[in-house]
Amino acid sequence: MAETNALLEARGIGKSFLGITALDSVDLTLQRGEIHALLGENGAGKSTLIKILTGVYARDRGTIRLDGAEVSPANVAEAQALGIGTVYQEVNLLENLTVAENLFLGRQPRRFGLVDRRAMRDRSRTLLKRYGLDIDVDALLSSYSVAIRQIIAIARAVDLSGKVLVLDEPTASLDGKEVDMLFGVLRKLRDDGLGIVIITHFLNQVYAVADQVTVLRNGRLVGTRALSDLPQLELISMMLGRELQHITRDHQAEEQTVAPLAQAPIRFNGYGKRGSVAPFDLEVRPGEVVGIAGLLGSGRTETAFLLFGIDRADSGGAEIDGKPVALSSPEAAIANRFGFCPEERKTDGIIGDLSVADNIALAVQARQGWAKPISSRQKRALAQDFIRSLDIRPADAERPIKFLSGGNQQKAILARWLATEPRLLILDEPTRGIDIGAHAEILKMIERLCAEGMSLVVISSELEELTAVAHRVIVLSDRRHIAELTGSEVSADAIMQAIAGSARTEAA
Ligand SMILES: Nc1ncnc2c1ncn2[C@@H]1O[C@H](COP(=O)(O)OP(=O)(O)OP(=O)(O)O)[C@@H](O)[C@H]1O
Ligand SMILES: [Mg+2]
């Protein structure tokens, strides 16, 4: 084999789970001072590869060399001691400890056998300064934003390990400014000579921050390329093994086609909740997709919680078919045939130990009452239907859902709500964590559901996605509805302008 002085070199890595080949002879080479993106469709094997490098899983085959020496980390601590640190999407820090305590968890500086708080504080400050963070290290971690917590987690991982930093979808819940901040930190670490591996589904971010990219498909290596001479379309076809079909709405042509369907809209009048979202009017017609746009913290998710009865409105009322309804709980919303796909699938969505079929059947079962259990045959048929239409992989209804890749879990949650045939479906960030191929499928499906008369409210921070699917877009800022764009007015520019405009008025 050729001599290289790569920082990290994985060769011929193989791994199977319960008869499924997750990785089949995959190579990855990481140089010092390099940011290396790891891409591929949902279930391609990205997280599995990273977990092998960081000691979470044992590999079945292959070798890993770090600084030229063969290594076999048996657990995360061992990988850390070798120099490989990881930050997972769900930041693994403790919210109710202080920043300093989190940074030195398990290795507090001691003096006379006692934790030396002063030393811990000073070292924390110096450490975070390197990342441009000048924050109160005695404050609880929970008082900081997700972005700051990510950076604290990175600081901890780099301080512990110091050679290789691995990040699995670190930007999934960050807004644009926070992503910039994170990338600033990554570039600095790269310039200090660290090797960084990053998984993300945002291709523009790959181009913004990474030098090299390795693409996996179905557990196999497709190739490693320098991003500087890899056109985006070529990258996409490497990932999918085919060309992507684009979906965009023809807003001009549409203004006429939606109108005839316009009967019996679902109406919210003066709906709001103090401390959450200012009172708003919202009307969603059958067959219509209403988009909700706004920056992080603008009240998007709070609006969804109100519509679905998770939060109870303290002003205004809701109307279906011209009759007032009380949406005082999610149960009431479900009884009115509402569905809600939350943003945080890990905490609000999946039940890991239950099978894919059980997870999909859950909302249907809840609606028809637990006294009338759905038979396992019905459940399996229902699940197989959605496994096919959403291309959930592996196509195994009986597998515990925790064994599916992140993106495939997301699809199963979507299936759960679609199975209830809702009249209003609320989707909060429906394509987050979903690969670009499935992304297009989901947008297509949204279109089809609308044509069948379902109403949709879609919340998304990706303006391209929102303008592609929405007939109408409501723009939120500072927890109020500040603009509504219809038909040909719907564009990413117009949304940005509405947000910027409100920021100016607030500043004035
Ligand atoms: N602990 C496990 N037990 C059984 N199967 C698993 C386990 N972890 C992963 N798999 C399977 O291995 C394959 C690769 O999964 P992996 O999580 O690596 O995908 P991924 O590329 O990270 O996808 P995503 O973009 O959806 O996160 C999938 O088919 C998945 O179902
Ligand atoms: Mg993954």
Side-chain angles (χ1 to χ4, degrees):
M1 191 174 285
E3 281 289 303
T4 67
N5 62 348
L7 172 58
L8 181 78
E9 206 172 6
R11 285 283 166 273
I13 303 294
K15 176 80 186 169
S16 306
F17 295 105
L18 318 164
I20 296 219
T21 306
L23 292 175
D24 183 4
S25 195
V26 168
D27 303 335
L28 179 75
T29 306
L30 178 69
Q31 307 291 345
R32 290 175 194 79
E34 172 180 285
I35 300 182
H36 198 121
L38 183 57
L39 299 189
E41 289 180 276
N42 297 130
K46 306 177 296 291
S47 296
T48 304
L49 178 58
I50 276 196
K51 285 178 180 163
I52 287 173
L53 298 178
T54 56
V56 178
Y57 292 154
R59 59 190 183 274
D60 300 339
R61 267 175 303 283
T63 54
I64 304 172
R65 286 172 179 279
L66 185 69
D67 280 330
E70 202 169 324
V71 296
S72 275
N75 53 50
V76 177
E78 234 179 272
Q80 255 163 16
L82 286 166
I84 307 172
T86 328
V87 176
Y88 295 101
Q89 184 178 339
E90 304 79 26
V91 176
N92 33 1
L93 297 179
L94 301 172
E95 303 227 328
N96 38 20
L97 295 186
T98 67
V99 172
E101 284 164 342
N102 267 292
L103 282 170
F104 287 96
L105 198 65
R107 49 173 191 134
Q108 297 92 334
R110 287 180 187 273
R111 220 171 152 230
F112 311 121
L114 297 172
V115 172
D116 185 348
R117 302 209 142 255
R118 148 96 68 81
M120 194 161 88
R121 206 174 294 142
D122 290 347
R123 277 160 63 178
S124 298
R125 278 201 202 103
T126 328
L127 185 59
L128 292 180
K129 280 239 175 68
R130 296 223 305 265
Y131 295 84
L133 283 189
D134 192 5
I135 59 172
D136 178 6
V137 298
D138 287 324
L140 292 183
L141 187 73
S142 57
S143 57
Y144 291 105
S145 70
V146 181
I148 303 274
R149 285 184 227 177
Q150 291 268 19
I151 291 173
I152 293 169
I154 290 173
R156 176 181 160 85
V158 170
D159 197 46
L160 277 170
S161 320
K163 287 183 185 167
V164 176
L165 176 65
V166 180
L167 303 153
D168 194 349
E169 299 194 40
T171 59
S173 40
L174 305 188
D175 70 20
K177 249 192 3 229
E178 295 173 324
V179 170
D180 290 344
M181 178 162 93
L182 176 71
F183 285 0
V185 165
L186 297 187
R187 287 190 193 103
K188 189 171 169 304
L189 291 170
R190 167 184 63 191
D191 297 343
D192 290 347
L194 229 75
I196 300 172
V197 180
I198 178 169
I199 297 181
T200 172
H201 288 291
F202 298 103
L203 293 191
N204 53 344
Q205 296 183 358
V206 171
Y207 280 94
V209 77
D211 309 300
Q212 296 277 320
V213 59
T214 289
V215 178
L216 303 183
R217 191 164 68 232
N218 291 328
R220 293 210 181 80
L221 177 69
V222 177
T224 296
R225 299 274 298 267
L227 281 155
S228 53
D229 59 23
L230 180 60
Q232 180 152 337
L233 281 178
E234 198 179 336
L235 174 58
I236 291 172
S237 57
M238 280 173 83
M239 291 168 59
L240 301 185
R242 59 183 158 83
E243 308 276 298
L244 182 73
Q245 290 176 338
H246 275 283
I247 306 178
T248 36
R249 250 181 204 300
D250 180 353
H251 287 285
Q252 300 287 355
E254 239 162 27
E255 272 172 77
Q256 302 88 23
T257 58
V258 186
L261 275 169
Q263 359 117 330
I266 297 167
R267 278 211 183 86
F268 297 88
N269 303 314
Y271 220 60
K273 177 179 158 76
R274 225 164 309 132
S276 173
V277 186
F280 59 89
D281 294 334
L282 174 67
E283 195 178 288
V284 198
R285 290 173 284 169
E288 191 181 32
V289 182
V290 175
I292 297 191
L295 301 177
L296 214 71
S298 59
R300 296 174 311 189
T301 295
E302 288 80 357
T303 301
F305 279 13
L306 269 183
L307 299 182
F308 196 61
I310 296 171
D311 283 344
R312 206 184 287 206
D314 59 13
S315 72
E319 234 173 66
I320 299 176
D321 291 332
K323 292 190 204 80
V325 289
L327 300 167
S328 49
S329 66
E331 289 74 23
I334 291 171
N336 281 293
R337 296 189 37 225
F338 284 17
F340 175 43
C341 243
E343 180 181 15
E344 293 287 333
R345 64 175 176 270
K346 281 270 157 53
T347 48
D348 299 346
I350 69 156
I351 303 180
D353 290 322
L354 292 187
S355 68
V356 173
D358 283 332
N359 269 282
I360 291 179
L362 205 65
V364 174
Q365 180 70 75
R367 203 185 57 196
Q368 79 175 46
W370 296 93
K372 282 188 287 174
I374 306 172
S375 78
S376 27
R377 172 142 25 109
Q378 275 173 306
K379 239 187 254 175
R380 203 170 321 125
L382 184 73
Q384 265 149 6
D385 241 19
F386 283 104
I387 286 174
R388 209 171 315 118
S389 61
L390 295 181
D391 191 19
I392 296 173
R393 298 182 214 176
D396 177 2
E398 300 309 320
R399 185 171 289 247
I401 199 167
K402 66 180 173 197
F403 294 146
L404 263 57
S405 75
N408 281 296
Q409 291 177 1
Q410 176 88 333
K411 291 191 209 172
I413 298 298
L414 188 59
R416 170 189 298 169
W417 290 106
L418 293 176
T420 65
E421 299 177 352
R423 74 189 292 160
L424 176 70
L425 183 60
I426 305 158
L427 303 174
D428 196 354
E429 301 288 357
T431 57
R432 182 157 283 172
I434 290 205
D435 70 57
I436 189 155
H439 194 132
E441 294 300 318
I442 287 177
L443 297 193
K444 245 190 281 173
M445 198 179 57
I446 289 179
E447 204 144 82
R448 203 179 59 231
L449 293 169
C450 278
E452 289 166 8
M454 185 194 281
S455 302
L456 277 133
V457 171
V458 177
I459 300 172
S460 175
S461 28
E462 283 170 86
L463 298 185
E464 301 283 311
E465 166 176 306
L466 210 56
T467 52
V469 297
H471 299 98
R472 205 143 51 83
V473 172
I474 309 241
V475 184
L476 297 188
S477 175
D478 204 18
R479 296 162 184 272
R480 59 189 68 246
H481 291 208
I482 53 159
E484 182 169 329
L485 307 166
T486 311
S488 54
E489 296 165 357
V490 174
S491 73
D493 274 355
I495 297 172
M496 290 305 293
Q497 265 166 28
I499 294 173
S502 83
R504 262 201 305 281
T505 13
E506 271 153 34

